[in-house]
Amino acid sequence: MMDLMEPVESLKGVGEKTAEILRKFGIKTVKDFFYNLPRDYENYQAPTSINEMRPGKVVIKGRISGLSTRRAKRRNLSVTEGVISDATGAVKVVWFNQGYRIKQFGPEKEYYFTGNFELKNGRYSLISPSAAEVAQIDPRTGLAPVYVAHGGLKSNDFRRLMGNSREKFALVPDLLPSVKTGLRKESLFQVHFPSSVKDIEKAREYLAYEELFELILAAKLNRRENEKLKAFKIPFNLAKTKEFLAGLPFTLTGAQKRATWEIFQDMEKKEPMNRLLQGDVGSGKTMVAAMSAYGAVLGGYQVALLAPTAILATQHFEGLSRVLEPLGVRVALLTGATKKKAELKKQIVNNEIDLVIGTHALLTDDTEFSNLGLVVIDEQHRFGVEQRQKLMLKSPEHKAPHLLAMTATPIPRSLQLTVFGDLDVSVLSEMPKGRQPIKTRILQEIETRDRLYPRIVETVERGNQMYWICKAIDDDPRTETTSVKSRTMKLQKLFPRYKIEFLHGRMKPAEKDAVMERFARGETQILVSTTVVEVGVDVPNATLMAIENAENYGLAQLHQLRGRVGRGVEASECYLITSGDMQPSRRLRELEKSNDGFYLAEVDLKLRGPGEIYGALQHGALDLRIATFSDTQLIHRAQRDVKEFLKKPENMVKYKELMTGITKYQQLTTLN
Ligand code: ADP
Ligand code: MG
């Protein structure tokens, strides 16, 4: 057996310089190198004779001569040309900006070339073909792996280096128990030295399975570790909860009741709650948080609520004070703009405050609690793992506070099962009564005058309000996007009688609060804003939204933005304005069709992949090498096998490489 953890230098042909480049791209060990999987395969089987080539994609086999490079008339373009010949004829070959090609080829060696045979400058040539030395390709299969180039190391170099280590693959040990020993080494060998397309598929499936196994195992271990922690048991107070509910201006939805009930049950346990509250925009998560907070305070504990922006924290503070202060709960707001911070912090540590609502300012080391029993994180995916952990560590006596994480970006089931390891989830599947779906329409810029402006007048004259979302804060002559500021001026000219204000992230916190306040009170009719209003802002009287340059946003973000309207009983509308006369993208069309955040999240996952969407995944650290989250069958198989694996404690010792390898996943997939 071999040690996969040896540095890459230990491989034949990898010198100090090559190792340096590889390390820079995260390939540090022999294992990393073996797991640097091909991005694709070229099929060099059945090359065409040069005299039989037809325009289009071709594969030919021949020798190359007469190579030279010159500068093209256009600046920054180098052209490398040569002639490829075989027994039947010769053809001109051209590469653009690939100067290294000059040195790539040996004069007497034979190569495969694959590229487009097309008319260029009045002459048929082979354009920018990829090339592989015939001697390096298995003649029976003709398949050549294509690797992503890394800083001067081209696909060919990877092929050569891989070839140097060919016999080493036989020494790769198994990573995890599987139906057949040696499956791992066979699979790794197959992806780098394939014998057929079918075998590549089989090998990739095993490697995908391995990856899912690691991910699920990491998540399950996180869950186990969480269960070992001690928390405060917070008893449920039925009478007081009923009193609270009686004071609300509405009745809870069934989904809100169920979620609250699940949370109360969790908080009565001695291990910490670790629950995700998932609910589409407008489903009423805040009220669930309020009830949970009230429950914890009644039990004698402090609660911290973390929000991603100051606007949102302020709004939560106002909303929650309104319902909780009459019941004797002492509520405070702690953001960057808070005056007399030191004084407030003293009150918090002295247990004179029951519920602290805040932004990142809550996370500083000098914010200490007397008995923090519950942490609520709104829009949890906006926070990094370290930030969330910081808050969790503020609990006394080495106990962990209960955690309620809330998100409006639904996590599709496949991700829940893998990355988030069977996390406890409550779903607000039901909207409060009387909500009407938001009517969404895609609009070309030139149509706004006829189709949108009349709607603005109607909306405002009816006494409702509007959001207008812009991409940029300032004008930029290089782009055609209208900034928040100039859009405000334009609208003001069109609608001189209306009060129109703007909001963006670079304004001072106090200014932002004031603008938001005036809008919430209904003093402003139109709020022109960047996406700072995206999360959480709740003004039910706003019923119209226009999103300018809608094609510049992601699906989840548009859905979240749109969720700022449709929060009251009145019908709401959202206009997605596209510039130019491009066909609207799939994203926009899906949005026009559906109001269902869960459905849209699945679409988004398919269109963009998880790395773009979810919290810790944001950094791409969890982008899967090979598995996909839509492979439910494989996910279920891996899940079942992980369960078996965990039944035998000796496995944790026996499969050392596995256990060490998954710590990176563990750090990324923890909720708390
Ligand atoms: P989100 O889940 O997007 O955070 P909010 O908690 O901000 O949603 O709630 C959206 C709006 O719905 C708020 O104005 C809130 O007061 C109201 N609301 C919450 N629960 C109910 C309910 N059961 N019935 C009616 N309105 C509700
Ligand atoms: Mg919210």
Side-chain angles (χ1 to χ4, degrees), residues 282 285-286 312 316 378-379 406 535-537 564 567:
K285 293 182 290 293
T286 317
L312 192 51
H316 279 325
D378 196 13
E379 308 295 344
M406 308 199 285
V535 280
V537 171
R564 296 314 106 214
R567 302 175 79 80

Side-chain angles (χ1 to χ4, degrees), residues 5 13 27 51 53 79 276 286 300 354 410 462 470 487 493 523 605:
M5 286 313 167
I27 302 171
N51 67 352
M53 285 193 300
V79 182
L276 183 72
T286 317
D354 302 309
R462 200 172 55 219
C470 294
R487 179 55 65 199
K493 232 183 241 159
E523 291 169 18
L605 183 65

Side-chain angles (χ1 to χ4, degrees), residues 93-124:
V93 57
V94 185
W95 285 283
F96 301 102
N97 283 342
Q98 297 184 24
Y100 67 91
R101 295 288 186 189
I102 278 273
K103 284 191 257 164
Q104 185 188 349
F105 304 100
E108 283 314 309
K109 285 182 181 166
E110 243 191 327
Y111 295 87
Y112 289 112
F113 297 89
T114 167
N116 261 333
F117 182 52
E118 58 185 76
L119 198 59
K120 201 105 198 175
N121 300 332
R123 183 171 169 190
Y124 273 99

Side-chain angles (χ1 to χ4, degrees), residues 37-41 186-188 190-191 197-211 624-628 631 634:
L37 306 180
R39 154 176 78 75
D40 198 1
Y41 295 85
E186 279 168 33
S187 302
L188 277 174
Q190 271 302 324
V191 291
V197 173
K198 198 144 190 192
D199 287 328
I200 296 172
E201 271 168 27
K202 271 214 310 247
R204 287 182 67 93
E205 180 177 297
Y206 171 75
L207 293 172
Y209 164 82
E210 202 177 66
E211 191 174 19
L624 296 178
R625 271 192 316 264
I626 183 160
T628 63
D631 201 342
L634 210 55

Side-chain angles (χ1 to χ4, degrees), residues 401-413:
H402 295 288
L403 173 73
L404 177 65
M406 308 199 285
T407 179
T409 307
I411 299 178
R413 184 86 189 119

Side-chain angles (χ1 to χ4, degrees), residues 311-568:
I311 292 178
L312 192 51
T314 308
Q315 191 169 297
H316 279 325
F317 170 71
E318 283 161 5
L320 294 181
S321 312
R322 206 159 41 234
V323 288
L324 293 174
E325 269 185 342
L327 301 165
V329 179
R330 295 163 298 180
V331 190
L333 175 69
L334 178 56
T335 68
T338 302
K339 299 197 181 74
K340 299 195 182 154
K341 273 203 198 74
E343 210 165 292
L344 177 58
K345 286 178 183 173
K346 212 183 247 162
Q347 286 180 302
I348 296 172
V349 72
N350 287 337
N351 203 9
E352 290 159 16
I353 300 290
D354 302 309
L355 168 59
V356 191
I357 297 162
T359 52
H360 295 83
L362 261 181
L363 301 174
T364 54
D365 291 334
D366 62 347
T367 315
E368 289 173 65
F369 288 80
S370 152
N371 59 348
L372 182 61
L374 169 67
V375 168
V376 181
I377 301 182
D378 196 13
E379 308 295 344
Q380 68 88 23
H381 61 284
R382 303 229 151 207
F383 294 94
V385 183
E386 303 99 62
Q387 292 170 319
R388 303 199 296 252
Q389 267 165 357
K390 258 196 174 147
L391 199 52
M392 301 305 285
L393 289 172
K394 292 189 182 291
S395 208
E397 301 171 40
H398 304 293
K399 288 196 178 181
H402 295 288
L403 173 73
L404 177 65
M406 308 199 285
T407 179
T409 307
I411 299 178
R413 184 86 189 119
S414 53
L415 280 183
Q416 277 179 33
L417 290 174
T418 49
V419 182
F420 295 98
D422 257 347
L423 164 94
D424 293 315
V425 180
S426 299
V427 182
L428 297 186
S429 49
E430 196 181 329
M431 285 288 172
K433 255 212 217 61
R435 289 287 163 77
Q436 306 184 37
I438 303 162
K439 282 205 195 94
T440 304
R441 289 193 190 85
I442 302 170
L443 210 60
Q444 282 188 12
E445 210 168 359
I446 44 164
E447 298 175 293
T448 47
R449 176 172 299 275
D450 289 345
R451 296 188 50 200
L452 178 56
Y453 293 166
R455 310 294 309 131
I456 297 179
V457 175
E458 264 173 66
T459 302
V460 174
E461 297 303 326
R462 200 172 55 219
N464 288 112
Q465 294 157 277
M466 165 185 206
Y467 294 100
W468 187 299
I469 309 298
C470 294
K471 190 84 195 164
I473 299 174
D474 298 302
D475 279 332
D476 180 346
R478 284 166 305 180
T479 66
E480 288 192 9
T481 53
T482 312
S483 68
V484 167
K485 288 172 191 166
S486 47
R487 179 55 65 199
T488 306
M489 285 194 306
K490 283 182 185 165
L491 287 171
Q492 193 68 78
K493 232 183 241 159
L494 278 164
F495 305 108
R497 287 193 303 116
Y498 302 160
K499 186 164 162 77
I500 304 174
E501 291 202 295
F502 66 80
L503 184 72
H504 62 73
R506 281 212 312 266
M507 285 159 64
K508 292 205 182 69
E511 272 180 277
K512 276 193 275 191
D513 287 348
V515 169
M516 210 49 233
E517 192 108 319
R518 285 193 289 274
F519 189 66
R521 279 204 301 263
E523 291 169 18
T524 316
Q525 276 84 46
I526 302 177
L527 182 64
V528 181
S529 173
T530 58
T531 56
V532 287
V533 292
E534 177 189 352
V535 280
V537 171
D538 183 33
V539 181
N541 192 49
T543 58
L544 178 61
M545 174 173 277
I547 304 175
E548 208 168 338
N549 297 112
E551 68 274 21
N552 286 331
Y553 302 92
L555 184 52
Q557 198 179 13
L558 286 168
H559 178 63
Q560 184 88 19
L561 274 169
R562 177 174 63 174
R564 296 314 106 214
V565 296
R567 302 175 79 80

